[in-house]
Amino acid sequence: MSNGDIFVGEVIGTAILILFGAGVVAAVVLNYSKAKDAGWVVIAFGWGFGVMAGAYSAAPLSGGHLNPAVTLGIAVDTGEWDTVHIYVAGQMVGAVLGALLCWLVYYAQFEANAEEDISQPTLGIFSTTPAIRRPVANLVTEIIATMGLVLPILAFGLTEGLGESGTAILIVSFLVVGIGLSLGGPTGYAINPARDLGPRIVHALLPIPRKGTSDWGYAWVPVVGPLIGGALSGLVFNAAF
């Protein structure tokens, strides 16, 4: 894979991931959406389908990492660092693009905020916010949840034929659904620095009426936690397997 292929693949795949993921949250929480109040299970499956669509789209070009924590875990395990910056750059650009596309899809619903008597905070559509704000506990949650993602991804590579058949991506998609259902309650399961930081930047810049804060005081947790979780996954996998 060339550097150009890697970058383009990660941009496309991550954009699709965020479009689906942010899109399902917007569908569930925004006023005047036909999916209003559909619930957490719908959100978890929406993100899982986003992983599936994004990873299958990116796989022929880049392998479909879509997540700096995954890229970091693989690099720590293999010792191959030459393309890490290309992957991460593509993931960040894709995350920003996907967030912009979500805003366009739900433009009318976002604009309806201007007509509401009470403003509707919109950050949760783009990025994660904790249910209980305790930074150390939130960080630990993100580390553990990310290890629950990256360690299995590394292990799937040991199953002969799984990657070649394309089944691995489908399994990872259901893994993300499981993480959302089981581990997503405390922090909203960022488990991906690009997935949280890119859309948070977009939220801060977009002219959404009465959108509320972008919460930069918390923004380090869903970046640092997944990176630690990814690195630990690479170390554990390398030592154990």
Side-chain angles (χ1 to χ4, degrees):
M1 293 180 289
S2 69
N3 287 349
D5 285 344
I6 291 171
F7 181 79
V8 171
E10 292 298 296
V11 169
I12 292 172
T14 309
I16 293 172
L17 164 63
I18 300 302
L19 173 61
F20 277 49
V24 72
V25 181
V28 170
V29 306
L30 282 175
N31 294 329
Y32 309 110
S33 164
K34 290 182 178 292
K36 173 74 172 174
D37 296 328
W40 187 255
V41 174
V42 170
I43 289 174
F45 272 94
W47 276 105
F49 292 142
V51 170
M52 181 176 65
Y56 274 123
S57 298
L61 292 172
S62 67
H65 293 189
L66 316 186
N67 184 342
V70 172
T71 301
L72 179 59
I74 293 171
V76 169
D77 173 45
T78 63
E80 298 176 3
W81 295 86
D82 291 348
T83 58
V84 168
H85 64 293
I86 305 296
Y87 275 98
V88 174
Q91 291 153 7
M92 283 298 300
V93 172
V96 167
L97 179 59
L100 286 169
L101 292 173
C102 173
W103 172 63
L104 290 174
V105 170
Y106 285 93
Y107 181 81
Q109 283 72 28
F110 283 118
E111 287 297 297
N113 258 351
E115 303 169 6
E116 296 293 316
D117 293 332
I118 301 174
S119 64
Q120 183 179 24
T122 56
L123 178 61
I125 294 168
F126 294 88
S127 297
T128 59
T129 57
I132 299 174
R133 185 177 294 267
R134 294 184 180 175
V136 174
N138 303 149
L139 184 69
V140 170
T141 295
E142 286 293 333
I143 291 171
I144 294 172
T146 305
M147 292 185 73
L149 172 69
V150 179
L151 263 176
I153 287 176
L154 294 173
F156 294 158
L158 298 178
T159 303
E160 186 176 355
L162 197 60
E164 295 176 1
S165 68
T167 311
I169 291 175
L170 181 62
I171 295 174
V172 171
S173 303
F174 281 107
L175 173 62
V176 171
V177 173
I179 291 171
L181 295 176
S182 300
L183 307 177
T187 62
Y189 70 115
I191 60 175
N192 182 338
R195 166 265 178 276
D196 197 274
L197 181 58
R200 194 181 298 268
I201 293 170
V202 171
H203 179 266
L205 296 176
L206 284 177
I208 300 172
R210 304 170 70 176
K211 63 184 176 182
T213 177
S214 298
D215 197 8
W216 288 105
Y218 179 76
W220 67 275
V221 173
V223 172
V224 174
L227 289 177
I228 294 173
L232 288 176
S233 296
L235 291 171
V236 170
F237 183 80
N238 189 273
F241 295 92

